[in-house]
């Protein structure tokens, strides 16, 4: 009865006769089959697309195994495209062994729609408050997943007690739904988390989305693991390469050499002239420099204070000397001259009364070790050539890190630990100060810190009881001594300049022949006539401001500044001789040299 009534109602509604109704009944099963087939096709197509995406991820893993960011972003892009969400992000743990969850690195991708929204409506709120990236690193859901290892799928974030709604509002991005899963490494340790936010269609993430995302994350973990392993292998190769290079070039000193200096009569400071700010950098031979260094240690009271075994000190100095290469400028003589100027500044200006004995020891040892195993090429060359040093230490202060590690290697060699009798605390403090001293000779660091130093000095706000002020001062002292050739009498200063310029030219020749690059002016021997101009820019940009500030801090250093002014005048004369038609003052020199300072360091 009900079926007849329904049939009558449909017939009346659509004006169907009995015959038409019969025809319609015959066709309806075929419509059902067509709809079912279409649904099956859509489902199979969806599964095909998902399987294809996973295969493409596998292909990505084989194509890119050297760059962590590239491989993670490739996988994220495929996951985001397939899941059709607004944001996809990956967060890596700082220490997978630590019980405290702390993320150290994050990667994020936004959908084109979300990018547009951010550019328009969210831009102001993001600028006024903490950024979304800050929220990303500190969000509670990611921390929960990283600590438990269990996935979290939230359909309505604001209704879930685990979700930090306040932080979400501060971030400037409104989160509706969250899918967050852990990333595991090959040892089944959690190394991070991956999360997607807000499906574009407004629906929550379903079980199929979660299964697919977890599959993507498996490959993400493999990709991260592969790149980390590759990086470790690359660093191991670089470390081995550097070690073999060092072993093939250097050796420790012989017992006969040690015995010779152990029994030698060490001249007094006055006989050596090492307390003179204007000491002649070329006056002592290689052996005399060892005896002069021994005298500095004794004169500063370090042998007695730190109970340094005298034979060990002789052996250490001789081995340090052997570990400088026979390059034109950055060799043992340069290291000794830097140390001599530090000694003269400490004793002449009375800095012994300001600095602690540990600080003085770190500065003296730092000067002697600050260019250990220098190859006659700078940090920029290491980066451009992709040298083993650059691969081992990175491109920031490459050589300075190598010099410090080389100094540690010598100290750890049998019979070379001049710090053996220090207490554990003094030893720890000293090694930290030594590292700071050597890294301070990186000009990049000098530029980062000099403005603060200049301002403190000019405002009379220098406080020797403030740890940061003392650290900046020590760094400026190291730079002042490293650049000290410019403070010497003209003939000495010019001779040093010719040596460093010749070393630069040799690097420029290698850049041109090996790297197929055109060297900058100061490294290009074809532009050697520009040396006076470059020296003027060097003095005005780098040297003069530093020595002026040091003199403001201690007037006893004025002879250094006076010499810089005299040498500047000499370079100005040479510059004018090469450019007789130009009457422009040196104060109007081009600022292009400042830009090339990255190449010098």
């Amino acid at each position: 009865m009900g079926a007849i009534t329904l049939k009558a109602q449909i017939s009346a509604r659509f004006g169907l006769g009995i015959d038409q109704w019969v025809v319609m009944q015959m066709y309806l099963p075929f419509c059902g089959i067509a709809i079912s087939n279409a649904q099956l096709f859509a489902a199979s197509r969806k599964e095909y697309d998902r399987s294809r995406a996973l295969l493409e991820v596998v292909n990505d893993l084989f194509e890119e195994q050297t760059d962590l960011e590239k491989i993670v972003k490739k996988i994220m892009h495929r996951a985001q495209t397939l899941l059709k969400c607004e944001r996809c992000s990956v967060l890596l743990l700082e220490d997978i062994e630590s019980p405290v969850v702390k993320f150290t690195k994050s990667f994020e991708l936004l959908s084109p729609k979300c990018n547009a929204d951010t550019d328009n409506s969210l831009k102001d709120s993001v600028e006024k408050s903490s950024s979304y990236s800050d929220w990303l690193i500190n969000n509670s859901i990611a921390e929960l997943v990283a600590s438990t290892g269990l996935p979290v799928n939230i359909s309505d974030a604001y209704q879930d007690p685990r979700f930090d709604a306040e932080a979400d509002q501060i971030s400037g991005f409104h989160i509706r739904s969250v899918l967050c899963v852990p990333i595991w490494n090959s040892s089944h340790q959690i190394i991070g988390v991956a999360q997607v936010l807000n499906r574009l269609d407004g629906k929550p993430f379903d079980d199929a989305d979660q299964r697919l995302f977890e599959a993507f994350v498996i490959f993400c973990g493999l990709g991260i693991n592969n790149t980390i392993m590759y990086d470790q292998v690359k660093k191991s190769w670089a470390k081995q390469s550097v070690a073999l290079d060092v072993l093939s070039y250097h050796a420790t000193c012989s017992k006969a050499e040690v015995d010779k200096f152990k029994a030698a009569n060490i001249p007094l400071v006055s006989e050596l002239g090492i307390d003179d700010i204007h000491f002649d950098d070329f006056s002592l031979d290689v052996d005399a420099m060892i005896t002069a260094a021994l005298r500095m240690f004794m004169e500063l009271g370090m042998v007695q204070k730190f109970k340094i075994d005298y034979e060990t000190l002789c052996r250490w100095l001789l081995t340090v000397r052997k570990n400088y290469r026979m390059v034109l400028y950055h060799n043992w003589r340069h290291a000794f001259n830097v140390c001599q100027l530090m000694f003269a500044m400490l004793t002449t200006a009375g800095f012994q009364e300001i600095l602690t004995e540990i600080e003085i020891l770190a500065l003296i040892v730092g000067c002697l070790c600050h260019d250990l195993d220098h190859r006659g090429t700078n940090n920029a060359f290491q980066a451009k050539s992709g040298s083993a040093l650059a691969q081992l230490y990175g491109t920031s202060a490459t050589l300075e890190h190598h010099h410090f590690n080389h100094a540690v290697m010598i100290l750890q060699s049998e019979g070379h630990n001049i710090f053996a009798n220090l207490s554990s605390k003094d030893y720890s403090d000293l090694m930290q100060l030594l590292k700071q001293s050597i890294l301070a000779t990186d000009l990049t660091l000098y530029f980062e810190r000099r403005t603060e130093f200049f301002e403190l000095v000019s405002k009379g706000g220098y406080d020797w009881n403030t740890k940061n002020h003392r650290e900046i001062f020590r760094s400026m002292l190291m730079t002042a001594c490293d650049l000290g050739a410019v403070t010497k009498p003209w003939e000495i200063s010019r001779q040093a300049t010719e040596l460093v310029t010749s070393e630069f030219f040799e690097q420029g020749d290698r850049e041109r022949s090996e790297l197929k690059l055109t060297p900058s002016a100061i490294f290009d021997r074809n532009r050697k006539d520009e040396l006076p101009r470059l020296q003027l820019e060097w003095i005005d940009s780098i040297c003069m401001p530093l020595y002026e500030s040091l003199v403001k801090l201690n007037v006893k250093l004025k002879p250094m500044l006076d010499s810089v002014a005299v040498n500047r005048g000499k370079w100005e004369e040479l510059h004018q001789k090469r450019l007789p038609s130009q009457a422009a003052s040196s104060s109007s020199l081009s600022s292009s040299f400042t830009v090339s300072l990255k190449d010098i360091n």
Side-chain angles (χ1 to χ4, degrees), residues 46-47 49-54 78-79 81-84 179 181 206-219:
K46 188 175 182 179
E47 287 302 316
D49 289 341
R50 293 186 173 198
S51 299
R52 182 179 177 83
L54 291 175
R78 297 195 187 281
T81 301
L82 210 58
L83 292 172
K84 295 181 174 58
L179 174 57
V181 299
D206 56 28
D207 291 341
D209 292 330
Q210 181 172 327
R211 288 195 300 273
L212 179 63
F213 193 46
E214 287 176 334
F216 270 104
V217 167
I218 290 172
F219 291 112

Side-chain angles (χ1 to χ4, degrees), residues 248-265:
S248 66
Y249 195 89
H250 304 296
T252 57
C253 60
S254 66
K255 184 178 184 302
E257 288 178 298
V258 176
D259 291 342
K260 170 186 170 182
F261 284 97
K262 184 181 175 183
N265 180 35

Side-chain angles (χ1 to χ4, degrees), residues 174-385:
H174 179 64
I175 296 173
R176 299 186 307 274
S177 55
V178 180
L179 174 57
C180 187
V181 299
I183 303 173
W184 305 84
N185 65 10
S186 57
S187 301
H188 205 65
Q189 295 171 299
I190 296 175
I191 58 175
V193 300
Q195 64 182 3
V196 285
L197 306 175
N198 299 359
R199 272 180 45 162
L200 293 175
D201 59 9
K203 296 178 181 179
F205 296 102
D206 56 28
D207 291 341
D209 292 330
Q210 181 172 327
R211 288 195 300 273
L212 179 63
F213 193 46
E214 287 176 334
F216 270 104
V217 167
I218 290 172
F219 291 112
C220 191
L222 289 172
I224 293 169
N225 193 63
N226 287 348
T227 53
I228 290 173
M229 288 179 62
Y230 174 82
D231 189 56
Q232 289 173 343
V233 169
K234 188 170 69 171
K235 284 194 173 182
S236 296
W237 172 85
K239 189 178 291 186
Q240 182 183 30
S241 177
V242 170
L244 290 173
D245 189 27
V246 168
L247 287 172
S248 66
Y249 195 89
H250 304 296
T252 57
C253 60
S254 66
K255 184 178 184 302
E257 288 178 298
V258 176
D259 291 342
K260 170 186 170 182
F261 284 97
K262 184 181 175 183
N265 180 35
I266 308 300
L268 298 174
V269 169
S270 57
E271 296 176 64
L272 294 164
I274 52 177
D275 58 343
D276 185 0
I277 292 254
H278 292 145
F279 173 80
D280 183 349
D281 288 357
F282 303 96
S283 61
L284 301 180
D285 62 29
V286 290
D287 283 350
M289 285 187 276
I290 294 290
T291 56
L294 287 167
R295 172 53 64 189
M296 284 187 267
F297 274 85
M298 291 187 286
E299 193 69 21
L300 291 170
M302 291 185 289
V303 174
Q304 301 87 340
K305 167 64 181 175
F306 298 108
K307 298 181 176 60
I308 299 176
D309 180 73
Y310 191 70
E311 181 178 333
T312 301
L313 180 60
C314 293
R315 184 180 297 107
W316 176 80
L317 280 169
L318 287 164
T319 298
V320 166
R321 183 179 72 178
K322 278 183 173 290
N323 279 265
Y324 275 91
R325 301 194 179 203
M326 300 299 288
V327 295
L328 289 170
Y329 182 75
H330 292 95
N331 48 36
W332 162 247
R333 180 173 296 280
H334 167 66
F336 171 79
N337 289 332
V338 172
C339 185
Q340 180 277 321
L341 187 54
M342 179 65 76
F343 175 81
M345 291 175 72
L346 289 170
T347 55
T348 301
F351 290 136
Q352 279 179 283
E353 300 171 8
I354 296 170
L355 298 170
T356 66
E357 291 168 319
I358 287 282
E359 287 175 313
I360 291 171
L361 179 59
L363 289 171
I364 292 295
V365 173
C367 288
L368 290 170
C369 297
H370 83 282
D371 273 333
L372 274 169
D373 195 45
H374 199 290
R375 283 90 188 287
T377 52
N378 62 9
N379 285 333
F381 184 86
Q382 308 307 319
K384 292 173 188 174
S385 61

Side-chain angles (χ1 to χ4, degrees), residues 483-488 493 535 538-539 543 547 560 563-565 567:
L483 309 180
V486 74
T487 70
K488 299 302 177 73
S493 181
Q535 282 301 306
W538 168 260
I539 290 171
C543 306
Y547 295 111
M560 297 177 73
S563 291
V564 176
N567 291 334

Side-chain angles (χ1 to χ4, degrees), residues 484-527:
V486 74
T487 70
K488 299 302 177 73
W490 168 244
E491 290 303 325
I492 300 170
S493 181
R494 180 168 182 171
Q495 188 176 348
T497 301
E498 289 172 351
L499 286 173
V500 73
T501 301
S502 296
E503 187 177 287
F504 282 176
F505 286 164
E506 288 192 357
Q507 175 178 315
D509 293 342
R510 291 185 63 185
E511 288 180 5
R512 185 176 278 111
S513 62
E514 297 175 17
L515 307 181
K516 311 304 178 187
L517 299 173
T518 301
S520 57
I522 202 166
F523 294 92
D524 192 346
R525 68 174 68 251
N526 297 329
R527 300 172 67 179

Side-chain angles (χ1 to χ4, degrees), residues 5-23:
T5 303
L6 179 61
K7 177 179 176 181
Q9 288 176 345
I10 294 174
S11 298
R13 174 68 179 83
F14 293 100
L16 298 176
I18 296 298
D19 294 339
Q20 291 172 315
W21 176 255
V22 172
V23 172

